[in-house]
Amino acid sequence: MKLDRILPFARLLLEKAVHPGDYAVDATMGNGHDTCFLANIVGPDGKVFAFDIQEEALEQTKKRLSEHNLMDRAILFHSSHDQLLDALPADANGRVTGAVFNLGYLPGGDKHIVTKPNSTIAAIRQLLQVMAPEGIIVLVIYHGHPEGQIERDEVIQFAMSLDQKKAHVLRYEFINQASHPPFIIAIEKR
């Protein structure tokens, strides 16, 4: 298959936006895969700010970062991504070049703890305030559960309402696959 699958495409977008020395945000750290990915990109002079409301996610992410000797490149927050403006350092304004969200629930975790549209949209709004021009927010939307379908619809509505003079919005998905495959909404700040 020559088309990029969803997760490789998400990473391709992040690689275009995030460079050594930059700040990046993993809005839903989960098991730490994206936190590590971003920590490798930002290098020793950059920083990744990662958020999750579940202690299990923090523990998994710490373990993964330690295994790859990347702990010094990330700051982990045991809080919702809609608290990021309060958590980011003052020098983050205009320095954040990439952010990623994996919406839904923690893989292998409690499926009753899910991301919510109000906090996700609040976090996107906050990111658009602090991001550098051409910074990219990648939302991987998992919508195979009832709460995910509600969040999907509200996030799409929000993204569609963004002023095209302030942001470019892309939707990337496979439209002929069964079982609610995930898709991407990418927002590039202008």
Side-chain angles (χ1 to χ4, degrees):
M1 183 166 149
K2 302 244 189 248
L3 294 172
D4 284 318
R5 295 189 189 284
I6 296 301
L7 295 180
F9 186 69
R11 288 188 169 191
L12 178 70
L13 292 172
L14 292 167
E15 287 173 330
K16 289 179 180 235
V18 181
H19 300 98
D22 288 351
Y23 284 177
V25 171
D26 184 352
T28 53
M29 77 177 83
N31 288 313
H33 296 286
D34 289 330
T35 305
C36 282
F37 174 76
L38 290 168
N40 275 311
I41 297 174
V42 300
D45 297 324
K47 197 63 78 178
V48 178
F49 303 93
F51 297 81
D52 210 296
I53 61 169
Q54 295 183 71
E55 185 64 38
E56 180 183 349
L58 269 76
E59 294 308 316
Q60 289 294 333
T61 302
K62 283 180 192 174
K63 181 180 175 190
R64 192 169 308 283
L65 287 166
S66 291
E67 289 170 354
H68 293 91
N69 296 316
L70 296 170
M71 277 300 294
D72 60 329
R73 298 182 188 185
I75 299 175
L76 310 182
F77 296 96
H78 186 207
S79 66
S80 174
H81 46 230
D82 67 352
Q83 301 300 307
L84 68 90
L85 275 186
D86 293 330
L88 294 177
D91 72 339
N93 195 21
R95 194 168 170 191
V96 176
T97 57
V100 62
F101 293 71
N102 283 285
L103 302 180
Y105 50 80
L106 176 65
D110 184 346
K111 294 182 180 179
H112 294 97
I113 302 173
V114 297
T115 54
K116 304 284 187 184
N118 58 341
S119 63
T120 296
I121 291 169
I124 296 167
R125 286 183 196 276
Q126 291 174 37
L127 280 165
L128 288 171
Q129 288 179 44
V130 299
M131 289 192 96
E134 298 185 344
I136 295 178
I137 301 168
V138 177
L139 300 118
V140 183
I141 300 177
Y142 293 87
H143 57 109
H145 57 288
E147 295 89 351
Q149 293 167 16
I150 293 167
E151 187 171 33
R152 171 199 64 203
D153 294 344
E154 291 190 33
V155 167
I156 289 170
Q157 271 308 116
F158 170 75
M160 288 174 60
S161 74
L162 290 171
D163 183 344
Q164 67 180 357
K165 293 177 183 156
K166 296 181 180 176
H168 299 287
V169 180
L170 165 81
R171 182 170 171 163
Y172 183 82
E173 69 181 313
F174 292 93
I175 60 175
N176 68 337
Q177 293 180 353
S179 302
H180 307 286
F183 65 93
I184 289 174
I185 298 286
I187 302 168
E188 179 184 12
K189 182 176 178 177
R190 293 190 70 177

